Amino acid sequence: MTFTPAVEARFPDFADHTDTLVGHGVEFFLASNETLRPQLNENPYGHKLSFLDFTDTAEKDWSIRDFLNYFNVINGIAFGDRGIPMPQWVMVDLILMPAAALIAGLPQEEFAAMVERSTFRFDTDVKQLLRTVQQEMRDSGYRGPVPVGGYCAAPSAEHGRWVGWSLWSLMPAVGLGKAAKALALSAYRAQKLDGVTQYDNSALKVHTEFGALKILVATVPFHTSPGSFVYQSDLTLPPGGHLPEPTFLLDPFDYGRQQAMQKQIEAGRSEFYVLPPGHVRRDGKTYVPILEKELPR
């Protein structure tokens, strides 16, 4: 009997950009370790991932260690404006040992062309930082692909429930983030996904493509980034369904309203959901569409 991962059953067309991305030189890797390989789906949405064992020291055309190091470095560049670069030990302890990272890579020539033509509006220093990475690759003699995006999640104590983090892409408007997340969730065979993000984070546009996000915790003051909240995507829900209109539009920087939402959750009076498309523009400002469901008393 063939098992269909929950994300593929609910969103059968979500990797439709994958073939196009591959046609433009993108290769998708699954980085983990050999002991976990039987538990991972290496053919998500029918696409064969290139498996990388981070413990493998055998001679190859290019170094797996260097590739994973560049993944970490470029991930830090992508998230640097939020002050949450990933320490090396986190990558080993929370990704490569207990789970896997889905990594999108480009050949170096295509990467160089992408750097030159991209604007990287989210951080004016990104282009210069990536040029520094290019110089480091030339100096070291590294000839392998260059990470340009990825997705990571860690298994939780509840079977089938994963905690996602570190969705990133240097290739906007081509569906790389959506494809990476869909491929990863299928590779993990995830049924539910929890995560922490920020109300002002543009990644909400990708996250809400996987359905409305149930807000589990409306404000997380302990987090490094202000305006953080905890959400859950239930991938076992049936596909389709009508999306309701939002109850209100939330200013991402209205921390008082976010605290009030949390009090409603704690009191068991309401549930809140972030609706697609995650962000909407009104009068020149960005808001988050929120659905409030009042609970019976």
Side-chain angles (χ1 to χ4, degrees):
M1 180 177 179
T2 302
F3 174 77
T4 301
V7 67
E8 293 191 28
R10 189 174 183 204
F11 304 105
D13 300 325
F14 259 30
D16 53 3
H17 293 299
T18 301
D19 290 340
T20 301
L21 291 165
V22 170
H24 285 85
V26 176
E27 183 173 0
F28 290 97
F29 299 87
L30 191 65
S32 182
N33 65 87
E34 194 68 31
T35 62
L36 293 184
R37 194 169 185 177
Q39 311 304 321
L40 297 166
N41 174 24
E42 294 183 48
N43 294 277
Y45 285 92
H47 181 78
K48 177 63 176 173
L49 303 176
S50 300
F51 188 82
L52 299 178
D53 183 350
F54 85 102
T55 68
D56 189 353
T57 59
E59 291 292 329
K60 294 182 176 60
D61 292 337
W62 47 270
S63 166
I64 293 176
R65 175 181 175 180
D66 287 345
F67 176 75
L68 293 175
N69 180 61
Y70 287 124
F71 171 81
N72 198 26
V73 169
I74 299 174
N75 174 279
I77 292 172
F79 280 97
D81 60 336
R82 292 186 177 271
I84 49 175
M86 181 166 50
Q88 200 84 353
W89 70 265
V90 170
M91 186 174 182
V92 173
D93 289 13
L94 298 185
I95 305 174
L96 301 174
M97 285 295 294
L102 191 291
I103 305 175
L106 273 180
Q108 291 194 30
E109 289 186 2
E110 282 80 354
F111 177 77
M114 182 205 69
V115 170
E116 293 310 311
R117 70 173 176 262
S118 297
T119 59
F120 301 117
R121 290 171 293 177
F122 55 89
D123 190 332
T124 56
D125 296 328
V126 165
K127 184 167 288 195
Q128 184 56 46
L129 291 169
L130 292 178
R131 286 172 176 158
T132 300
V133 172
Q134 288 178 281
Q135 186 60 51
E136 291 175 357
M137 289 189 293
R138 287 191 289 267
D139 292 343
S140 68
Y142 174 72
R143 301 186 302 274
V146 187
V148 292
Y151 185 73
C152 307
S156 75
E158 180 182 332
H159 177 71
R161 184 173 177 175
W162 288 68
V163 179
W165 52 293
S166 201
L167 172 66
W168 65 282
S169 168
L170 294 181
M171 299 174 66
V174 295
L176 178 59
K178 176 175 153 182
K181 184 171 181 177
L183 291 171
L185 292 177
S186 178
Y188 301 143
R189 297 186 172 94
Q191 295 179 318
K192 291 184 179 180
L193 178 74
D194 294 352
V196 180
T197 191
Q198 295 75 45
Y199 292 105
D200 68 321
N201 194 330
S202 61
L204 274 183
K205 296 178 181 179
V206 176
H207 295 320
T208 54
E209 290 202 63
F210 292 78
L213 308 178
K214 182 177 182 179
I215 298 176
L216 302 182
V217 183
T219 178
V220 188
F222 185 69
H223 197 277
T224 307
S225 297
S228 293
F229 69 99
V230 181
Y231 67 87
Q232 182 174 92
S233 296
D234 189 345
L235 304 174
T236 66
L237 295 175
H242 174 70
L243 282 175
E245 291 295 317
T247 309
F248 62 91
L249 299 179
L250 175 68
D251 183 335
F253 305 103
D254 188 347
Y255 303 135
R257 184 68 181 273
Q258 295 159 27
Q259 291 170 0
M261 291 165 59
Q262 179 59 21
K263 290 186 182 300
Q264 290 286 96
I265 294 172
E266 291 174 356
R269 289 193 288 267
S270 294
E271 293 179 343
F272 297 92
Y273 296 81
V274 177
L275 298 178
H279 282 163
V280 296
R281 297 284 290 177
R282 294 289 187 275
D283 301 322
K285 291 187 62 176
T286 298
Y287 294 92
V288 181
I290 301 291
L291 172 67
E292 180 178 1
K293 290 185 178 180
E294 295 185 359
L295 298 176
R297 305 232 177 158

